[in-house]
């Protein structure tokens, strides 16, 4: 409510041209932000804004005609925008709209001291505002282009099915009865990495017939987030969903508290029989096993029941804690209130460029920053080190940058009034690096833009909770596209397939990048080629195959989803699967 007051105050002292912009942005903002239940305190403001709207429609129409009439060489609209923008920035430093993003950009621009700042001219910035005004005006009279872009895949008839075998169910009772064996795990990395390890920990506990002590989340050196399991996930829900599979306990019982645990770290691709052979005897003797470094250790090829268990943990048991879930849902609703939206997971953070051994494509200054960091801390590089930057890039091993994402989305038919939620941390080079995207798609928001003042406060210093909010809003989007593979993209791909095959675009980087560098291609030709390359990687489910050790939580078919339309041949899926595997 504080926000409405703010807006009202703002609206009362600004001059006419800025009212146009302000009322466009604030009313679209308002409908984006306000829940259906409005308190009576806002009604005065609402009446005021209705009046303003009539004025706005009239003026926009008037200026629209004006602009059309002089479209060819008069600089008038741009002038209008730059002056109104100055006033706007005076009256509103904490806007939550896309204009707010731009103001932030402006602010950051001033503080950025490098060559990079010359890349965006004054003219370009003004263009951003022109397109804001134009889109605002279109939006106000309900203009919405139909586009194939939002069309959803049919999922080929696959539906979730997690029914366990009779043998598995027969073992439940005995496993749940056990009071001797306890598995403790320490999980590490970012939130999505920890999530994967928790999934594996449940499966390992089941393999060993041990109770699982609520996983300990290791504090990460990069992110420094001290959140515990219960801060991120809904522990009661976790216990309840798994109550027939694994006993989950909050702490070691007093009978075991003095035990010195057997410690271990499974090798890559550890199989259930390896785990039993290696740990079971000692666990029976000592009572407590402590595992760490579980990342991608458990084999991806497990017996069918254990695959189902992995799906059950990933898709059903691991729900975010209530406060996160609530804010995530609110933000998703704000996005959704204006129609379908695309969630983009951008991987442009400094540590991502360093780890992947790629260059951010900004300027030589930023290349130097990355190179120096890599020299200083060679252990961070996880990519193949015998490749040059160019080889890595062309092999599809690098995150896409903002210009590439923009061109890809345009080629795939994303309308320029598409609403985009971008997930991810602060890009190297600041929000300014996102300008190519914002210019093409002005309805461009992240959680900071969409949260009301104070809403994000409990989460800001906690990277895992912030990542969880991104996860929720991305998962609920109509279309999802990551700029690079990774734990979050993987998890969301599986989850979206599981809950109904919501469209997921996998950029076919290796095949598309040569066309990005060919300047003799016309835009039409480029778009046609890019569209064709992505025909089969636009969200139809991929099949988990043994050959490439695919993860069932990314490809839930066939173990966790069954086909209600048996006439669809698997060969069909194989083709689609191959195409989307980059
Ligand atoms: C890099 O090394 C791997 C194996 O270590 C090899 O398969 C690959 O061809 C090498 N790449 C280049 C560009 O030399
Ligand atoms: C660029 O595209 C044109 C037109 O399709 C093609 O003839 C040419 O070989 C391409 N150039 C490169 C370097 O791939």
């Amino acid at each position: 409510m504080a926000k409405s007051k703010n807006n009202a105050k703002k609206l009362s002292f600004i001059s006419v041209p800025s009212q146009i912009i302000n009322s466009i942005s604030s009313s679209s903002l308002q409908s984006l932000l306000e829940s259906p239940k409005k308190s009576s305190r806002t009604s005065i403001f609402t009446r005021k804004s209705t009046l303003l709207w009539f004025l706005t429609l009239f003026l926009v129409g008037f200026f629209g005609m004006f602009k059309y009439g002089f479209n060819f060489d008069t600089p008038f609209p741009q002038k209008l925008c730059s002056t109104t923008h100055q006033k706007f920035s005076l009256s509103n430093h904490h806007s939550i709209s896309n204009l707010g993003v731009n103001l932030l950009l402006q602010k950051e621009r001033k503080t950025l001291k490098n060559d990079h700042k010359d890349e965006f001219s004054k003219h370009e910035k003004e263009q951003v505002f022109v397109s804001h005004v134009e889109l605002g005006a279109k939006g106000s009279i309900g203009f919405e282009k139909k586009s194939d872009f939002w069309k959803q895949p049919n999922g080929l008839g696959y539906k979730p099915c997690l029914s366990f075998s009779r043998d598995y169910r027969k073992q439940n009772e005995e496993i749940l009865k056990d009071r001797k064996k306890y598995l403790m795990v320490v999980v590490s990395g970012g939130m999505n990495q920890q999530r994967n390890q928790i999934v594996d920990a449940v499966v390992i506990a089941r393999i060993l017939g041990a109770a699982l002590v609520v996983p300990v989340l290791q504090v990460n050196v990069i992110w420094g987030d001290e959140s515990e399991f219960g801060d991120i996930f809904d522990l009661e829900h976790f216990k309840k969903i798994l109550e027939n599979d694994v006993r989950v306990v909050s702490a070691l019982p007093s009978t075991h508290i003095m035990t010195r645990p057997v410690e271990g770290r499974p090798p890559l691709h550890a199989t259930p029989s390896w785990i039993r052979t290696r740990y079971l005897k000692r666990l029976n003797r000592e009572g407590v096993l402590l595992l760490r470094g579980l990342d991608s250790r458990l084999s991806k090829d497990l017996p069918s029941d254990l695959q189902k268990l992995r799906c059950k943990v990933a898709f059903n048991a691991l729900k975010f804690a209530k406060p996160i879930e609530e804010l995530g849902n609110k933000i998703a609703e704000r996005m959704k209130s204006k129609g379908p939206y695309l969630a983009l997971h951008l991987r442009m953070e400094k540590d991502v460029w360093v780890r992947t051994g790629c260059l951010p494509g900004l300027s030589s200054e930023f290349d130097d920053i990355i190179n120096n960091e890599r020299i200083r801390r060679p252990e961070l590089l996880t990519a193949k080190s015998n490749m040059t930057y160019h080889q890595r890039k062309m092999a599809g091993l690098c995150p896409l940058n903002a210009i590439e994402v923009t061109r890809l989305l345009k080629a795939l038919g994303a309308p320029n009034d598409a609403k985009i939620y971008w997930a991810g941390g602060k890009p190297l080079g600041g929000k300014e690096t996102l300008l190519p995207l914002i210019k093409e798609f002005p309805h461009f928001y992240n959680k900071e833009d969409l949260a009301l003042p104070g809403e994000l406060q409990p989460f800001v210093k906690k990277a895992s909770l912030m990542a969880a909010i991104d996860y929720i809003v991305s998962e609920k989007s109509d279309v999802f596209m990551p700029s690079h593979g990774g734990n979050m993209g993987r998890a969301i791909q599986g989850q979206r397939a599981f809950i109904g095959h919501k469209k997921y675009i996998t950029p076919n980087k290796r095949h598309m990048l040569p066309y990005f560098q060919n300047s003799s291609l016309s835009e039409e030709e480029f778009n046609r080629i890019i569209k064709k390359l992505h025909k089969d990687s636009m969200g139809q489910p991929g099949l988990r195959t043994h050959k490439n050790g695919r993860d069932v939580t990314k490809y839930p078919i066939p173990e966790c989803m069954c086909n209600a339309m048996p006439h669809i041949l698997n060969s069909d899926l194989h083709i689609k699967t191959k195409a989307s595997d980059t």
Side-chain angles (χ1 to χ4, degrees):
M1 293 308 99
K3 200 199 134 281
S4 309
K5 266 210 262 161
N6 250 346
N7 270 340
K9 208 162 66 192
K10 212 162 51 200
L11 289 169
S12 64
F13 74 83
I14 45 181
S15 61
V16 173
S18 28
Q19 265 172 350
I20 301 168
I21 297 210
N22 225 340
S23 58
I24 288 168
S25 73
S26 66
S27 45
S28 65
L29 224 197
Q30 237 192 316
S31 48
L32 202 60
L33 292 177
E34 263 167 26
S35 57
K37 280 176 261 141
K38 271 196 214 162
S39 94
S40 57
R41 278 172 68 192
T42 54
S43 65
I44 297 169
F45 170 63
T46 314
R47 246 177 279 143
K48 206 167 171 186
S49 92
T50 313
L51 257 173
L52 263 172
W53 260 109
F54 280 113
L55 181 64
T56 304
L57 274 178
F58 172 77
L59 284 172
V60 164
F62 177 75
F63 282 119
M65 281 190 298
F66 202 87
K67 195 197 155 200
Y68 252 84
F70 297 89
N71 208 11
F72 294 104
D73 41 27
T74 170
F76 177 71
Q78 274 169 33
K79 245 197 182 138
L80 167 76
C81 286
S82 62
T83 51
T84 50
H85 156 238
Q86 276 160 12
K87 282 186 185 150
F88 184 82
S89 68
L90 279 177
S91 61
N92 183 357
H93 264 290
H94 197 82
S95 170
I96 312 167
S97 67
N98 40 19
L99 285 169
V101 176
N102 282 288
L103 290 172
L104 274 173
L105 289 171
Q106 302 265 316
K107 253 166 83 183
E108 286 198 19
R109 254 185 69 79
K110 288 196 192 111
T111 52
L112 244 148
K113 289 192 179 69
N114 49 48
D115 323 340
H116 177 57
K117 70 181 167 209
D118 297 329
E119 280 178 30
F120 300 100
S121 65
K122 187 155 179 286
H123 176 73
E124 278 179 307
K125 270 186 299 166
E126 281 167 352
Q127 287 294 314
V128 175
F129 283 91
V130 171
S131 58
H132 274 301
V133 174
E134 283 170 353
L135 277 156
K138 280 183 203 157
S140 71
I141 48 174
F143 175 87
E144 185 106 6
K145 228 182 344 183
K146 280 263 175 268
S147 165
D148 263 4
F149 186 75
W150 303 113
K151 219 175 121 203
Q152 293 294 330
N154 62 18
L156 307 174
Y158 280 90
K159 298 266 185 301
C161 62
L162 293 180
S163 42
F164 292 93
S165 72
R166 183 188 278 200
D167 277 354
Y168 180 94
R169 283 178 283 137
K170 250 168 49 194
Q171 291 162 6
N172 286 355
E173 200 183 337
E174 201 185 324
I175 285 176
L176 297 170
K177 218 169 56 197
D178 181 278
R179 291 292 183 274
K180 287 206 313 258
K181 306 192 289 285
Y182 290 86
L183 172 66
M184 295 177 72
V185 294
V186 178
V187 299
S188 57
M191 191 276 292
N192 287 292
Q193 221 173 328
Q194 292 178 336
R195 217 182 133 95
N196 291 342
Q197 294 166 53
I198 293 166
V199 171
D200 288 351
V202 171
V203 175
I204 293 173
R206 172 80 194 193
I207 290 169
L208 295 170
L212 177 68
V213 182
V214 172
V216 174
L217 313 187
Q218 187 174 334
V219 178
N220 186 282
V221 282
I222 301 179
W223 299 291
D225 185 344
E226 294 178 9
S227 304
E228 292 175 20
F229 188 97
D231 298 328
I232 302 178
F233 303 105
D234 183 337
L235 180 55
E236 289 315 308
H237 178 82
F238 184 73
K239 285 180 174 172
K240 183 155 192 317
I241 295 294
L242 297 174
E243 67 186 358
N244 293 322
D245 305 278
V246 168
R247 199 159 67 90
V248 179
V249 297
S250 298
L252 274 178
S254 56
T255 45
H256 286 65
I257 216 105
M258 298 304 284
T259 337
R260 189 153 165 238
V262 179
E263 291 200 33
R265 179 179 192 200
L268 282 173
H269 315 298
T271 61
S273 67
W274 187 94
I275 287 169
R276 275 191 217 98
T277 314
R278 182 63 179 260
Y279 297 125
L280 199 52
K281 221 157 111 199
R282 286 156 75 199
L283 179 57
N284 272 324
R285 199 174 57 226
E286 308 292 339
V288 183
L289 169 66
L290 172 64
L291 294 180
R292 36 173 106 237
L294 273 185
D295 209 12
S296 297
R297 296 281 138 171
L298 188 63
S299 166
K300 302 279 180 264
D301 290 324
L302 296 170
S304 162
D305 282 319
L306 294 181
Q307 298 287 38
K308 288 186 163 65
L309 180 56
R310 296 191 75 223
C311 290
K312 189 174 177 180
V313 183
F315 304 140
N316 293 343
L318 280 173
K319 211 175 103 186
F320 291 113
K322 268 225 172 60
I324 304 175
E325 191 87 7
E326 278 171 9
L327 182 56
N329 286 340
K330 266 190 217 161
I331 292 179
E333 274 160 29
R334 284 166 199 167
M335 286 302 297
K336 207 151 227 154
S337 67
K338 291 286 226 154
Y341 71 97
L342 161 74
L344 265 184
H345 186 205
L346 299 178
R347 310 291 310 280
M348 299 178 181
E349 300 94 333
K350 183 175 164 193
D351 72 288
V352 175
W353 297 118
V354 174
R355 275 190 291 116
T356 51
C358 298
L359 294 177
L362 297 172
S363 68
S364 56
E365 194 162 331
F366 284 102
D367 291 353
D368 289 346
I369 293 177
I370 294 302
N371 277 326
N372 293 339
E373 185 77 4
R374 220 173 276 147
I375 291 165
R376 219 160 50 81
R377 303 172 67 189
E379 75 281 2
L380 288 180
L381 184 74
T382 53
K384 288 182 188 141
S385 50
N386 64 343
M387 282 177 150
T388 64
Y389 295 123
H390 187 70
Q391 283 169 331
R392 241 180 242 143
K393 175 101 196 160
M394 298 317 278
L397 299 174
C398 293
L400 297 175
N401 64 33
I403 295 168
E404 289 157 350
V405 173
T406 309
R407 289 187 76 191
L408 173 59
L409 285 176
K410 267 178 79 175
L412 295 178
N416 62 2
D417 63 352
K419 278 151 288 285
I420 299 183
Y421 177 85
W422 71 278
K426 185 174 178 284
L428 177 70
K431 281 189 173 160
E432 182 156 353
T433 55
L434 303 176
L435 271 180
L437 269 162
I438 297 171
K439 264 177 69 179
E440 193 63 37
F441 303 102
H443 299 276
F444 192 77
Y445 312 90
N446 71 354
K447 49 192 172 303
E448 281 87 2
D449 303 323
L450 293 162
L452 300 176
E455 269 184 335
L456 271 178
Q457 198 50 40
F459 309 105
V460 274
K461 289 273 158 59
K462 304 191 167 151
S464 294
L465 307 192
M466 294 293 259
I469 290 169
D470 275 348
Y471 188 103
I472 295 170
V473 188
S474 299
E475 191 230 300
K476 292 189 180 305
S477 65
D478 297 271
V479 179
F480 177 79
M481 187 178 96
S483 70
H484 189 52
N487 291 306
M488 171 160 150
R490 257 199 296 280
I492 286 183
Q493 175 168 354
Q495 183 120 32
R496 289 172 72 91
F498 194 76
I499 59 178
H501 308 285
K502 285 200 294 178
K503 189 162 172 177
Y504 182 106
I505 302 170
T506 311
N508 193 338
K509 287 188 279 189
R510 196 155 44 90
H511 290 114
M512 78 183 192
L513 284 174
Y515 299 102
F516 278 66
Q517 305 195 331
N518 189 338
S519 54
S520 58
L521 285 172
S522 71
E523 190 173 341
E524 286 81 43
E525 180 77 346
F526 174 83
N527 291 356
R528 195 186 54 74
I529 293 168
I530 298 300
K531 230 185 200 136
K532 190 152 165 258
L533 276 177
H534 288 85
K535 209 158 66 68
D536 290 331
S537 46
M538 298 276 272
Q540 284 295 16
L543 188 72
R544 199 189 83 82
T545 53
H546 294 265
K547 215 173 80 202
N548 35 22
R550 288 184 160 188
D551 190 337
V552 73
T553 58
K554 183 181 180 189
Y555 296 100
I557 300 171
E559 281 99 337
C560 302
M561 300 185 80
C562 313
N563 197 338
M565 287 158 41
H567 61 275
I568 297 205
L569 294 174
N570 273 353
S571 59
D572 233 25
L573 277 171
H574 274 296
I575 296 164
K576 298 201 150 54
T577 304
K578 231 166 94 194
S580 63
D581 192 24
T582 41

